[in-house]
Amino acid sequence: EQWLYPAKLAEFWAGQWVAFGLLLMPPLVLMLIRPATWRHEAYRLLAWASLPLFLLVSVQALVREANPNWASPAMIGFAILVTGTLWAQRRRWLMIGVAFNLLLLSVLYHYHAIAAGLGIELDRGSSPYQKRLGWRELGYGVGQWLEAHPEARLLSHKRDLLAYVGYYAGPWPPRVASWNPSGRVNSQYDLS
């Protein structure tokens, strides 16, 4: 049995890089390895406020799996550290990094509209959102069925299926149940 998953850790770190900003992550890494950062009291506080959670979730990614959003609270201190430092020392780099992030976010948010405007027909290979599409429609259909059968529950052994369909099926809290014959707790759904 495999105990460590370096590819999962690399995938998690890549997700952090993209989420934090392609141009803003390199300055953050440089700040964290630079001794001057650790000598400055405010910078040290921000780093120590964020680093433990980031490292904890990195270990989770190495030994099993971790979603990129699990380290989101750690990014708060990191963002203040990078923004404050770059504002004082490399203001132009900060502005370019923020502008690039906003441009990338706008393109990703309007991806389908941009593709349609350019006459590009999206399919499984060309849509980065392929795994995320259709949940609303499926959840609505399941929600109607659950409404007609008030004692019924959505049952699955997959956490993501329960989360997506349960969210869109409404009403909140979702009427879902985790199929877990082993009794091993792998998610909040197994726990509750």
Side-chain angles (χ1 to χ4, degrees):
E1 185 178 337
Q2 186 174 352
W3 291 89
L4 299 177
Y5 300 88
K8 295 279 187 187
L9 177 61
E11 182 182 331
F12 171 73
W13 283 351
Q16 296 309 299
W17 191 344
V18 171
F20 194 76
L22 296 173
L23 300 178
L24 297 177
M25 185 59 89
L28 172 63
V29 171
L30 290 174
M31 285 177 215
L32 291 175
I33 62 174
R34 225 176 56 197
T37 300
W38 297 98
R39 286 193 295 268
H40 191 282
E41 187 177 8
Y43 293 168
R44 188 171 58 244
L45 175 66
L46 289 168
W48 278 120
S50 297
L51 210 48
L53 177 61
F54 181 79
L55 294 175
L56 178 69
V57 180
S58 293
V59 169
Q60 171 65 32
L62 180 62
V63 299
R64 178 132 171 115
E65 181 178 18
N67 292 326
N69 65 319
W70 292 359
S72 296
M75 295 302 132
I76 296 168
F78 288 157
I80 295 169
L81 175 63
V82 167
T83 303
T85 304
L86 290 179
W87 184 260
Q89 299 171 6
R90 305 247 189 283
R91 193 171 295 185
R92 187 172 194 188
W93 185 262
L94 176 64
M95 293 302 159
I96 291 169
V98 169
F100 183 78
N101 285 356
L102 290 172
L103 176 65
L104 182 61
L105 179 66
S106 297
V107 168
L108 291 175
Y109 187 78
H110 298 289
Y111 185 82
H112 288 96
I114 292 170
L118 295 174
I120 299 170
E121 188 173 328
L122 298 176
D123 59 14
R124 285 183 81 77
S126 61
S127 176
Y129 302 111
Q130 187 60 36
K131 290 182 178 180
R132 304 292 180 247
L133 296 176
W135 289 112
R136 180 175 308 174
E137 293 80 8
L138 178 62
Y140 178 73
V142 169
Q144 288 184 318
W145 190 88
L146 287 173
E147 195 173 299
H149 302 87
E151 297 301 316
R153 300 285 180 265
L154 177 62
L155 176 70
S156 177
H157 70 287
K158 297 183 132 301
R159 175 187 63 83
D160 55 347
L161 180 66
L162 292 172
Y164 289 129
V165 177
Y167 176 79
Y168 288 113
W172 196 258
R175 294 187 344 226
V176 298
S178 178
W179 174 254
N180 186 11
S182 71
R184 186 173 170 200
V185 177
N186 292 315
S187 73
Q188 180 66 31
Y189 293 100
D190 292 341
L191 190 62
S192 59

